[in-house]
Amino acid sequence: FGPLCGVNVDPGSGEVLVADEEATVAHGETLPAIEVFSASSALIGTIDKAPEREAVEGACSSAVDDTSHEVYVAASEADRVYVYEEAAGKFHLRAGATLSGADTPEKSFLAPNNSGAFREEGAQLRVAIAQHSQDVYVAVAEQEVVDEFNPKGEYLRQLTFSDGDEPKAIATDAS
């Protein structure tokens, strides 16, 4: 392992997802990745690619839908939340499921720049899933908000915080 920046557990299977900033992937190359382990510690697979075969930079937060077993990965450097499906240890992007924040009041997950426009990349993104509803929550620290989406990826509403309060982590409970 390299520097670790996030851990998540699939509540349905007990699989453990580890966000590793320097995971060893194909041909000994090290890239940021989410490594997925079985409940008995065996490596199942690695999520190391985003669209256009780019690395999943800034992917320190993941969440698993315990019904569909889809994996949501908040890639802060891309300002996106990618959705992956697993088949036989291989993780593939689910077509049309990427969350970009385009339907939110800010129209993106980008961080505000000095003039208040949302143009700077690298906003800290965190993701969680409410298992009872499968609603997806995306915490955008620099915007001081948490955006809520339904399981289809449709924007529902936004939770806002006081000036200066940034949601740096997010979690849901089983109820």
Side-chain angles (χ1 to χ4, degrees), residues 12-91:
S13 68
E15 293 173 352
V16 178
L17 291 82
V18 178
D20 186 348
E21 292 181 0
E22 296 176 3
T24 301
V25 294
H27 311 295
E29 184 179 9
T30 59
L31 293 171
I34 306 287
E35 296 170 311
V36 183
F37 297 89
S38 70
S40 64
S41 311
L43 180 65
I44 294 171
T46 302
I47 299 170
D48 62 347
K49 298 293 182 198
E52 292 86 43
R53 306 292 298 160
E54 297 173 6
V56 287
E57 298 282 346
C60 287
S61 179
S62 64
V64 182
D65 182 320
D66 71 351
T67 302
S68 68
H69 299 286
E70 293 172 327
V71 177
Y72 289 71
V73 176
S76 294
E77 295 299 319
D79 298 301
R80 301 277 187 271
V81 175
Y82 299 117
V83 183
Y84 295 86
E85 299 171 309
E86 186 225 338
K90 300 281 184 192
F91 291 87

Side-chain angles (χ1 to χ4, degrees), residues 12 15 26 33 45 76 83 118 120 139 153 158 172:
E15 293 173 352
S76 294
V83 183
F118 293 92
E120 295 183 17
Q158 186 175 77
T172 62

Side-chain angles (χ1 to χ4, degrees), residues 76-136:
S76 294
E77 295 299 319
D79 298 301
R80 301 277 187 271
V81 175
Y82 299 117
V83 183
Y84 295 86
E85 299 171 309
E86 186 225 338
K90 300 281 184 192
F91 291 87
H92 306 281
L93 279 166
R94 193 178 99 202
T98 298
L99 301 176
S100 67
D103 296 332
T104 67
E106 287 79 11
K107 305 293 183 211
S108 88
F109 294 139
L110 294 174
N113 63 19
N114 292 335
S115 66
F118 293 92
R119 303 258 185 255
E120 295 183 17
E121 295 180 353
Q124 289 184 3
L125 297 181
R126 301 294 184 251
V127 65
I129 297 175
Q131 299 301 335
H132 66 282
S133 66
Q134 274 72 48
D135 284 350
V136 179

